[in-house]
Amino acid sequence: MSRTSRTRLRLALGASAFLLATAVVPAPAHAEDVTDTTDVADTTDVTDYAITVDPSARGATIDKTMYGVFFEDINRAADGGLYAELVQNRSFEYSTDDNKSYTPLTAWTVAGQAQVVNDSGRLNETNRNYLSLAAGSSVTNGGYNTGIAVEDGKKYDFSAWARADSGTTLGVSLQDAGGTLATARQVEVKKGGWARYKVTFSATRTSATGRLTVAASDATALDMVSLFPRDTYKHEPNGLRKDLAEKIAALHPGFVRFPGGCLVNTGSMEDYSAASGYQRKRSYQWKDTIGPVETRATNSNFWGYNQSYGLGYYEYFRLAEDIGAMPLPVVPALVTGCGQNKAVDDPALLKRHIQDTLDLVEFANGPVTSKWGKVRAEMGHPKPFHLTHIEVGNEENLPAEFFARFTQFRAAIQAAYPYMTVISNAGPDDSGSTFDTAWQLNKDAKVDMVDEHYYNSPQWFLQNNNRYDSYDRTGPKVFLGEYASGGNAFKNGLAEAAYMTGLERNADVVKLASYAPLFANEDYVQWRPDLVWFNNHASWGSANYEVQKLFMNNVGTRVVPSTATGTPSLVAPISGAVGLSTWATSAAYDDVKVTAADGSALLSDDFSGDASRWTHTGGGSWSLDDGQYVQTDTAAENTMVSAGDPAWHDYDLHVKATKRAGKEGFLVAFGVKDTGNYYWWNLGGWNNTQTAVEQAVDGGKSTLIAKPGTIETGRAYDVDIKVRGRQVTLYFDGQEWGSFADDKPAEPFRQVVTKDAKTGDLIVKVVNDQSSAARTAIALGGAKVASRAKVTTLAAAPDAVNSETATAVAPVVSTFNGVADKFSYTFPANSVTFLRIRQR
């Protein structure tokens, strides 16, 4: 411990309290055991801090809905996930509209003769397809992942709709490669029209590779072939997979946002009817998802598969009620997003969607005597669901067009239901022209709440803890509806935890927050990272999940103002090599020059010889072509080649770039350390709609500056980048395009203190995102406190991840007996620690 550190700590604590400065709680083993950890231990690798709490000051009130979850059907989160159905493609509705590889018999194998039919003999108008199974033939379903998972001794309910011109017998069996999994059953199908038939299996052993076979003695029509575990969460039939629902419940979320996400604001806004041609690529529309499951209209999922809507609005509302959370549905605003970016100009269609939204509120809250309240009651829930918040739209990238429609929704909703909070949004990014325009429109219209979304690097979250400190306290409130730091390692959870202390400190502005996405089936992943991972037989919470759970179970009711010292650090200049790259585009580069600040040449390459100075670390195909360095693969993403010294700093980079073909423009990199750490100027990115500078830190990217922009094919552009210290200035065809200073400190030590009105506890929440322990002087400002505190600690290596077989990041609960008005506590390296201190 240095002399300076000793002096600072003595001043913070006072002479008598300084004797406690060597008390440390070692990072414990990963277990939930409660242990006494008051023994004094020595540590040499520490950094010193001080936290000062002012219990007499009143901080922001924290709403009980502060933290929640966002469920979107991405990564097979619904079918094959939270929805407990074990049969995949149960109604034979899979289509190339869902996925180019799909057929109506995807997930099924046929023995004998069978065909999928779409004719007037169907089960109903919204369930278009059915299976015609010939006499003596059978079909077998492979379920999800490795197969149908069953557990020894558990019951499973089989059902199917069947129709036969003459009486027939269905033989139904469960088996895997090792043999039978349950006693086979026979179902007698009566002559005549469609009817639903049911039998129950009792599994005789456990398997994750099961198959369900249905065999017909005579010609039979089949639809809605289903196998459900009897043991579902809270409700059956048509219930939720128990382990996944329990992981949501364990978070004690204040709200559930659903159903999207990109599902809401992509695809056709038409309905599923003959008049619209039975649109299979529709936005998520709530009326498609209620009523008997066999009448719910199937749909193509934006993320590349089919959604059966067995898990629909009624089930979402019921889940929210079961876990004590506020339901928060999102409805389409008739402006598409997620790369589609089209405003639907159809007044009649807009009027219909507005009425649908009013009907949704009636479905949730209306009396049983109302039209839609009666529908809710008929589904089994006479009591209202107490809906108070509704969101219109999701990440629209056309703010003016979106807002023109949003205002019509808001006016209609609040005229009919004045108590409703109607939520708008600020587009898909944390900054930029769309964000700024959207926020100004929301402020001018005095919108209740604005939904912000961003996915950035861990460093961005460490640098932007104070993001909401400067927000207008009298303006619209913030709903942070989607955020994540780009990975599921503990270092990601640490950065998110550090950021969450800033959310709580600004609880008067940030009223709701939810990590996203919630679920991922490990065999069907479209998006990473995710909070909870699963397969067909197991589930596990990520390191991020453990962070969210710790915060969500220890929120408190009010912020207690506190201050903390920071980490001394020197901000070094941006340094690194230079690079060239493309994304789904072919481009040619020439005349690369790197010049030091003193005018000396660091690199000059006109590609008249070879490309030996360049190292290819990305994908794609690079070659020399007529004195240019060319990447030719229009499908490859991040094709980085780099040259130079990672120690270079304070330089000018010049490149001549030409787009040859593809979806986007080109990428010019600087400050390149390695494949996961660099800056690049992304010209014509996001399907050639935007130009931005992105920073990659350990593979996670953040946008530092962005503007609309496109790149023309065949035109040569001059790209110049000037790097001085942490300041970067960018020039496009000789004109200054923009500049930024990447000089925010990535502070690794963050804290917030809250009070729990129910228990009277002070909750001191500290994040130490560094490899050294944080020896901390804590002054409670005269608060009368008990000497013992409950301590919950998450501590692990930065790269630690949780998996199906190993839980590297888990909470450890202990006690600390050295609490006083002034005391010292050493927070372990790479840790999140909550001290619950009882006030006398």
Side-chain angles (χ1 to χ4, degrees), residues 90-103:
R90 66 182 177 186
S91 61
F92 311 100
E93 296 290 339
Y94 276 27
S95 162
T96 53
D97 285 335
D98 308 326
N99 188 294
K100 290 181 180 179
S101 67
Y102 281 1
T103 73

Side-chain angles (χ1 to χ4, degrees), residues 292-492:
V293 291
E294 67 271 12
T295 67
R296 300 184 188 183
T298 190
N299 199 9
S300 171
N301 182 293
F302 174 81
W303 298 107
Y305 50 90
N306 177 273
Q307 49 193 355
S308 72
Y309 288 144
L311 174 57
Y313 259 70
Y314 176 74
E315 288 76 26
Y316 288 127
F317 277 123
R318 196 171 59 183
L319 170 65
E321 180 181 66
D322 287 341
I323 62 178
M326 177 181 77
L328 204 167
V330 187
V331 298
L334 273 70
V335 178
T336 59
C338 301
Q340 297 182 359
N341 300 336
K342 178 184 177 183
V344 180
D345 188 12
D346 185 334
L349 191 58
L350 176 62
K351 183 178 180 181
R352 193 266 286 176
H353 274 268
I354 292 173
Q355 185 58 52
D356 281 354
T357 304
L358 297 176
D359 293 343
L360 171 60
V361 181
E362 183 176 287
F363 174 77
N365 295 350
V368 295
T369 53
S370 66
K371 176 181 177 180
W372 292 102
K374 181 181 179 183
V375 172
R376 182 194 69 242
E378 289 172 346
M379 292 186 71
H381 201 285
K383 294 182 180 180
F385 284 117
H386 306 294
L387 179 66
T388 59
H389 290 61
I390 195 163
E391 184 172 355
V392 178
N394 170 75
E395 290 188 13
E396 282 72 28
N397 210 24
L398 302 171
E401 292 86 343
F402 160 73
F403 208 73
R405 291 154 179 78
F406 170 83
T407 53
Q408 295 184 62
F409 275 89
R410 183 176 68 151
I413 295 168
Q414 292 188 333
Y417 304 101
Y419 59 85
M420 291 295 297
T421 296
V422 185
I423 303 171
S424 179
N425 74 81
D429 300 303
D430 62 87
S431 60
S433 58
T434 296
F435 179 88
D436 293 339
T437 300
W439 254 107
Q440 192 60 54
L441 289 167
N442 285 305
K443 285 180 179 179
D444 291 346
K446 294 180 171 53
V447 168
D448 292 329
M449 189 176 291
V450 178
D451 189 0
E452 293 188 354
H453 295 176
Y454 37 83
Y455 297 90
N456 291 320
S457 68
Q459 178 162 310
W460 185 94
F461 283 94
L462 293 177
Q463 290 176 319
N464 287 275
N465 177 275
N466 64 346
R467 175 180 176 88
Y468 297 107
D469 289 2
S470 59
Y471 269 50
D472 182 358
R473 286 12 230 181
T474 63
K477 303 305 180 184
V478 172
F479 173 20
L480 180 48
E482 298 182 32
Y483 72 98
S485 70
N488 279 142
F490 189 47
K491 62 187 175 185
N492 300 98

Side-chain angles (χ1 to χ4, degrees), residues 803-831:
S803 67
E804 179 182 355
T805 57
T807 306
V809 181
V812 175
V813 179
S814 60
T815 57
F816 175 66
N817 289 330
V819 179
D821 180 41
K822 292 181 179 180
F823 68 101
S824 177
Y825 192 93
T826 299
F827 297 95
N830 304 308
S831 68

